[in-house]
């Protein structure tokens, strides 16, 4: 479980900082960007799968960071 949580932390960190993913937004263009970039690199994942993992990863964000992300939006 620790290894999985570490992977999810990497995912959410890269999504927020690299793709401007806002976990609490109802619609998010970051998922499409991630889907496209993965396909270009030859490791395709559909948008629903990307979103599922991003949501799981976002659950690991501390509340204070989540609030900061909301203020930055």
């Amino acid at each position: 479980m620790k290894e999985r949580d570490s992977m999810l932390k990497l995912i959410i960190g890269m999504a927020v900082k690299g793709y401007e993913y806002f976990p609490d937004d109802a619609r998010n263009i970051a998922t499409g960007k991630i889907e496209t970039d993965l396909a270009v690199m030859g490791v395709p994942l559909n948008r629903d799968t990307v979103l599922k993992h991003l949501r799981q990863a976002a659950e690991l964000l501390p509340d204070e960071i989540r609030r900061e992300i909301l203020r930055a939006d």
Side-chain angles (χ1 to χ4, degrees), residues 35-54:
E35 177 189 27
T36 299
D37 285 351
L38 289 171
V40 167
M41 294 182 338
V43 286
L45 283 178
N46 71 44
R47 192 174 303 208
D48 291 337
T49 302
V50 171
L51 183 57
K52 177 182 95 171
H53 292 298
L54 288 174

